[in-house]
Amino acid sequence: MFPVHPPAEIRGAAPVVYHNLSPTLVEHFRRILEEAKDEKPLQQFFEEHAAMLLVGVVPAHRAWVFPRAALPKPEGGSWIPDFMICDWTSIGPLWTIVELESPTAHPINSRGISGIFHHAQQQIDDYRRHIANHAAFLRDGGWPISGERAAAWIVIGRRHEHQQALGVERLASLRQYAIEVASYDRLLSECEFHVRADESNRLKLEELKARLEEFKRTNPR
């Protein structure tokens, strides 16, 4: 249905450049997370710095991030997920829906799954049902969507050491429905990892260049 090679643009947007995240940007993410009372400042941050969301969610090949993308309905109106990510692989476009909830919210409580998390899950179900039922309609509107079930992430809360065992088990069980549950700290950790990896690669390259220069100096022609 779709070509193996990704297009230059999707709906007028270029793919996200997700390499070389800066330590300054990661620290900015940390400050926003510490101060945020709800998901709004994080939504804005990820809209402005899409790579910070991308590196935490998909092992990108060539990927696009669409914030608050309007997925039109044939009868009028539209569904609007917080983010739609398209990762174009050798088998074509793979889609991931990302829903952001408050960093102060909890996905689980003493009874199991919390109400706010259950609502986010219902939204995921609505988006997936719409994509499956109206894939051709969406393609006509410029979305390269096959209709297969999109993966989904719900980002909610902070990382807590003490969680209700029953709730943790129920959250883990959602993976069988291709729903990944992540804290904002998990995304932050992924960004920190990429920064460290980039810095390590930079130092290795500098060391290699220095050795090459030394070899040239000590082994003149």
Side-chain angles (χ1 to χ4, degrees), residues 182-199:
S183 68
Y184 285 93
D185 295 276
R186 177 174 169 185
L187 299 188
L188 178 60
S189 295
E190 288 292 333
C191 292
E192 290 173 333
F193 172 81
H194 277 267
V195 166
R196 291 194 299 269
D198 285 343
E199 178 64 11

Side-chain angles (χ1 to χ4, degrees), residues 101-172:
E101 298 296 338
S102 174
T104 64
H106 298 277
I108 55 179
N109 54 35
S110 60
R111 297 183 299 277
I113 301 298
S114 68
I116 190 170
F117 181 86
H118 182 64
H119 176 69
Q121 185 181 354
Q122 288 181 319
Q123 287 182 305
I124 295 293
D125 290 341
D126 288 337
Y127 302 147
R128 283 175 162 172
R129 189 177 306 110
H130 176 62
I131 289 171
N133 293 341
H134 303 291
F137 177 75
L138 292 170
R139 285 196 299 274
D140 289 342
W143 292 99
I145 288 175
S146 67
E148 295 182 5
R149 185 175 67 175
W153 278 57
I154 299 173
V155 185
I156 181 172
R158 303 296 302 272
R159 182 177 290 152
H160 298 285
E161 295 182 0
H162 305 291
Q163 301 274 20
Q164 296 290 331
L166 176 60
V168 171
E169 183 178 343
R170 287 177 176 173
L171 291 178

Side-chain angles (χ1 to χ4, degrees), residues 2-21:
F2 300 107
V4 172
H5 299 292
E9 295 182 343
I10 294 177
R11 295 181 58 82
V16 173
V17 178
Y18 64 95
H19 292 298
N20 300 320
L21 301 182

